Amino acid sequence: MKHYIAMFLTFLTTLTLTAQDITGQWNGVLKVQGTQLRVVFNVSKTDNSFVSTMDSPDQGAKGIPVTNTTFKDSTITFVVANAQIEYKGTLKDEVIVGVFKQMGREFPLNLSKKAIEKEPLKRPQEPIKPYPYHSEEVTFQNAKAGISLAGTLTWPKKEGVFPAVILISGSGPQNRDEEMMGHKPFLIISDYLTKNGIAVLRYDDRGVAESTGDFKTATSADFATDVESAIAYLKTRKEIDKNKIGLIGHSEGGIIAPMVASRSKEVAFIVLLAGTGIPGDQLLLLQKERIARANGVSEHDIKKAQETNATLFKMVLTADDIGQLKTDLTHSITEAIKNEKSTETINRTTEDAYVAMQVDQLTSPWMLYFLKYDPATALEKVTCPVLAVNGEKDLQVPSDENLTAIKNALTKGGNKNVSTKEFENLNHLFQECETGSPNEYGTIEQTFSPLALAEITQWILAQTH
């Protein structure tokens, strides 16, 4: 459950000629929730106008044309209608000082003809090669899905066979390190566990990095089959104790791990890192409410948003015709926008694109499955040992509601080896934090609480020795 900024769709630009020469390459760094994205505008001159393209090097995009650009009285404006992007800046002393806007949000962005480097991120927990353990790049097959998954297997250098864990990432396309906001939590977890005698397999989600397949059409149930393939692969490795293979799932991974464990006797234990215990529609309403309040949204506006979202989610839950659902959602979202009095109401020129984006998101295979899924159905069937942990300040998967629901479901199913813990002052990524808001994730140097790492590791060792 992570948050991303949509960037730069195709566009074509003309510039009005003025006395000032703005040709050349303009460079800047866009800072979004602790993440840095380099932006480059390339401006060239034709007979009667200027033509520009945009590069986004960190996203692998180059030569993107611009839709509409004006340059007048030292003010330059770029508009990317399809992506709902506008950049406006003032040229002064060979620097353009401006603001980048998208989807109602604003970010300072200054451009210069000098090459600009991103500020180095401080991530003190990241291990430095050479590692004091074996690390091997591996691939394994999910024959059921017809895809190949690529990852990294680490295990201690000493002789013997070792207990192992498979790391299962949260929602959104993730690589094997679950990399986000400049952090690599799965790399940190893998390094710590392996140094403590536990082998770790982490892999790129299907359709991400070196793994094949289509991420966009997959649901949590599909990702569960990827985990089952990972278990089958580990059982072929001579370094692994085949009776001591466990799962660690973060966020959505905390939904997937019980799915697999509920139908497989080959799972020795599971660890749920901010796993969910309540149905998807309830979780998203709770998540949106907590994050909005932490970001200073008024109680009046929170209430209105919750009512709108609850209505939309109910439509999804009760629909039996996808075409009619899209029509109904389009009407409801459009009406909600019309009734919105906030100064941040989306501009009419981009309303249709915004509504279409919201409808596509709500009717994607993943969202349809997630909103309707109740984690208790799998948790009640899990018989292996379970450790469920949350951060006290987790706003995405609130600790109190979810830890209680997880424990109740496991207990209802007769599981007697259940441990739960809430870590004080930790957020959804298990970082020590101030508010728990996702806006903090990228600005915090710590990737994963050392205290949480130690306690999780001790619990796993207790199950495997």
Side-chain angles (χ1 to χ4, degrees), residues 2 20 35 48 87 191 316 350 389 427 437 458 462:
K2 289 108 188 149
Q20 292 174 285
T35 300
N48 299 310
Y87 175 77
D191 178 73
V316 173
T350 57
V389 296
N427 61 20
S437 170
Q458 289 169 11

Side-chain angles (χ1 to χ4, degrees), residues 187-413:
L187 173 61
I188 304 304
I189 295 171
S190 173
D191 178 73
Y192 191 92
L193 292 177
T194 309
K195 287 176 179 176
N196 282 275
I198 302 166
V200 180
L201 174 61
R202 63 191 199 275
Y203 58 91
D204 303 325
D205 289 345
R206 60 167 68 190
V208 177
E210 297 178 36
S211 291
T212 65
D214 187 353
F215 182 89
K216 294 179 181 179
T217 61
T219 68
S220 300
D222 297 317
F223 298 135
T225 68
D226 295 341
V227 177
E228 290 168 341
S229 300
I231 294 173
Y233 170 73
L234 282 183
K235 291 177 66 179
T236 70
R237 299 289 305 221
K238 62 179 176 35
E239 305 89 351
I240 305 303
D241 186 331
K242 298 172 182 57
N243 297 315
K244 297 179 181 178
I245 298 174
L247 309 176
I248 298 180
H250 176 234
S251 199
E252 184 193 0
I255 296 175
I256 296 168
M259 282 184 185
V260 177
S262 69
R263 59 194 187 212
S264 173
K265 299 298 183 182
E266 296 175 334
V267 178
F269 59 88
I270 60 175
V271 178
L272 311 181
L273 305 176
T276 71
I278 61 179
D281 62 320
Q282 295 178 28
L283 178 74
L284 289 189
L285 286 173
L286 191 59
Q287 178 186 112
K288 289 174 182 296
E289 177 188 359
R290 296 285 179 92
I291 292 175
R293 187 169 290 120
N295 290 339
V297 178
S298 71
E299 291 301 317
H300 176 265
D301 287 344
I302 291 175
K303 182 180 179 181
K304 287 181 60 179
Q306 289 295 88
E307 290 172 350
T308 298
N309 287 323
T311 298
L312 298 177
F313 293 165
K314 185 176 180 180
M315 292 168 63
V316 173
L317 295 177
T318 58
D320 54 15
D321 182 280
I322 190 68
Q324 186 61 47
L325 174 61
K326 289 185 176 183
T327 299
D328 293 342
L329 288 171
T330 299
H331 175 74
S332 293
I333 296 172
T334 301
E335 287 301 307
I337 291 173
K338 289 179 180 178
N339 294 331
E340 177 59 60
K341 303 301 181 183
S342 169
T343 56
E344 292 187 7
T345 299
I346 193 166
N347 190 289
R348 291 288 299 180
T349 60
T350 57
E351 180 181 310
D352 289 346
Y354 174 79
V355 172
M357 181 184 69
Q358 295 296 311
V359 171
D360 287 345
Q361 183 181 45
L362 284 167
T363 58
S364 69
W366 184 89
M367 186 63 79
L368 289 172
Y369 187 92
F370 181 80
L371 287 173
K372 297 176 182 180
Y373 185 70
D374 184 355
T377 57
L379 287 164
E380 291 173 8
K381 299 174 184 176
V382 174
T383 58
C384 67
V386 179
L387 172 65
V389 296
N390 268 79
E392 173 204 5
K393 293 184 177 178
D394 188 338
L395 302 183
Q396 292 187 247
V397 181
S399 178
D400 44 4
E401 291 85 354
N402 286 281
L403 279 184
T404 299
I406 289 170
K407 186 172 184 178
N408 288 344
L410 290 165
T411 302
K412 181 179 178 181

